[in-house]
Amino acid sequence: MTLRIDVGGLPSERVRFAASPLAELTAMLHVLAEPGHHPQYAGWAADVWAGLRPEFAERLREAEFLWRSSQADFLIPGRPRSTLAEELDDVDRIDDETYVTAALVTTCGSNRVHFRGRSPLSDATARERALDVAQARGAQQEAFAERLLADPAAVRARVRRTLEECAEAFFDAAWADVAVQLATDLRLKNELLRRQGLGVALASVSGAVTLAPDGDRIIVDKVQDKSTAARGGGVTFIPSVFGRPHLVAVHAPGWHPVVQYPVAEPRPAEPVALETVTARLEALAHPVRLRLLRTLARGPHTTAELAHFWELTPPEVSRHLAVLRRAGLLTSRRQGRYVRYALNLSDVTSLGADLLAAVLR
């Protein structure tokens, strides 16, 4: 499962690496709404919440559907500006139908197919669908959707005011440090892009982002099966410090393709591909293979030993061991005429973290 961005025939200058204050603020707001996704910032989030005025904290919770489970597309700019105010001005230029549809897709946690290209502001069926899904997700979400549909201008102004107040409350202080890290990362990415090309630059973004062999598509390893095209507007890559470990992609029709990627930690672990995680989960789904792993967890064993212990035939054991080996869950070592199999403890131990990283990016 991947997101594919068509960049066939796109001039190199249309691939941009740039920082965005609004995108980083959105990442910070996501940390505040979902600190469990970002344990490294749990202390920061607790300190921020403790210092907020109750009325302002309530407004953040009221609008958190724009950035909690995913991010509204207009919060990840396709053309980043140097200041938060400039980027918020660009958001203000978006028409109400585009803004409301993007907000409710995120707010309702739904796939865009639910609206089928129709606006909840002007289409009764789309409006009913938006309210139904919002209601199912909670009273706050339903109230937000109702207000947005009833008076888009008022809600938009309230959201902008809330985002502006974030600057004084916590964003400006955090941005001063973050901007230095982002600038360092951008120098590296743009130098790689200029000197070694898009494939190398993408490889430095994340092991989950690659250039297809034909050079016409950017492949993003995410839990989805989608495609979009950069076309004349190009594609933008935005680094994020607070966004780690998420790999956020804007790919809806009509929006400029954007990938917000986490700036690497000092010694980053290479991300495990979703395909590998899936293979390991499938390998563990069989009860016989779980029994074999139970024995191998106690020490190395040969095929014959495993067959005898579990009253299976050696060929049957061999078939199951082959599946486990292909998934990377076993190691093997020949000793004379015997081959002993052992549990790959490091990869089995990290499977939970690998799964979480795969579904969060």
Side-chain angles (χ1 to χ4, degrees):
M1 290 184 285
T2 58
L3 167 65
R4 300 167 298 281
I5 304 173
D6 185 354
V7 293
L10 192 71
S12 59
E13 64 270 16
R14 298 289 176 85
V15 178
R16 306 179 187 87
F17 284 85
S20 164
L22 178 56
E24 193 65 16
L25 171 57
T26 301
M28 293 179 192
L29 289 168
H30 174 71
V31 171
L32 292 176
E34 288 284 6
H37 289 184
H38 310 268
Q40 72 272 35
Y41 293 120
W44 174 85
D47 289 343
V48 169
W49 281 119
L52 297 180
R53 293 178 289 104
E55 182 272 336
F56 180 56
E58 181 59 28
R59 277 195 282 127
L60 282 183
R61 294 189 180 95
E62 168 191 290
E64 70 178 9
F65 317 115
L66 297 175
W67 50 74
R68 181 166 195 155
S69 60
S70 60
Q71 290 75 37
D73 290 339
F74 53 76
L75 296 177
I76 314 292
R79 297 185 180 277
R81 307 284 190 173
S82 59
T83 69
L84 179 62
E86 288 175 308
E87 293 186 323
L88 291 175
D89 287 343
D90 287 343
V91 173
D92 286 346
R93 296 185 185 100
I94 298 172
D95 63 83
D96 281 347
E97 290 198 348
T98 301
Y99 184 104
V100 169
T101 301
L104 290 178
V105 165
T106 300
T107 297
C108 298
S110 61
N111 190 296
R112 288 173 175 82
V113 73
H114 288 304
F115 297 143
R116 300 187 185 279
R118 296 175 293 191
S119 166
L121 281 180
S122 56
D123 184 273
T125 301
R127 180 188 183 90
E128 183 179 359
R129 177 59 181 163
L131 291 174
D132 283 347
V133 178
Q135 183 182 44
R137 292 178 63 84
Q140 256 190 330
Q141 185 125 12
E142 181 184 17
F144 181 85
E146 288 177 342
R147 289 196 301 273
L148 184 60
L149 289 168
D151 192 348
V155 173
R156 292 180 64 165
R158 184 176 175 87
V159 169
R160 170 160 185 158
R161 188 165 63 253
T162 299
L163 295 175
E164 289 173 332
E165 290 184 35
C166 288
E168 181 179 352
F170 60 86
F171 175 72
D172 284 350
W175 178 251
D177 293 329
V178 165
V180 176
Q181 298 180 60
L182 299 183
T184 300
D185 180 83
L186 288 172
R187 280 195 297 272
L188 170 63
K189 299 296 189 293
N190 283 304
E191 186 69 8
L192 289 174
L193 181 63
R194 184 174 68 87
R195 290 181 175 273
Q196 301 187 51
L198 180 57
V200 175
L202 293 178
S204 72
V205 167
S206 168
V209 182
T210 57
L211 185 66
D214 61 10
D216 284 346
R217 286 163 295 131
I218 295 172
I219 310 298
V220 184
D221 185 32
K222 289 179 69 68
V223 187
Q224 55 188 251
D225 187 19
K226 302 284 185 180
S227 61
T228 187
R231 295 195 175 89
V235 58
T236 302
F237 288 86
I238 299 176
S240 175
V241 171
F242 277 80
R244 188 184 302 127
H246 299 306
L247 193 63
V248 178
V250 175
H251 56 82
W255 292 91
H256 185 107
V258 183
V259 176
Q260 185 186 34
Y261 64 91
V263 171
E265 297 179 89
R267 298 187 63 173
E270 188 68 18
V272 176
L274 177 61
E275 182 181 359
T276 300
V277 175
T278 302
R280 290 174 179 172
L281 293 175
E282 290 174 348
L284 295 174
H286 198 290
V288 171
R289 291 196 279 272
L290 282 178
R291 294 187 192 115
L292 296 177
L293 286 181
R294 178 183 176 89
T295 302
L296 293 171
R298 290 165 169 77
H301 288 75
T302 66
T303 300
E305 288 172 329
L306 292 168
H308 175 74
F309 187 85
W310 289 107
E311 298 182 349
L312 300 167
T313 65
E316 186 177 5
V317 171
S318 293
R319 287 195 297 272
H320 287 297
L321 291 178
V323 174
L324 293 167
R325 286 191 67 190
R326 285 196 297 271
L329 298 175
L330 297 183
T331 61
S332 62
R333 182 180 179 184
R334 179 173 288 278
Q335 294 178 318
R337 63 192 186 92
Y338 296 101
V339 176
R340 295 189 176 276
Y341 296 91
L343 193 64
N344 184 344
L345 285 173
S346 62
D347 284 353
V348 172
T349 301
S350 65
L351 182 57
D354 293 339
L355 172 62
L356 184 61
V359 298
L360 289 182
R361 64 173 172 253

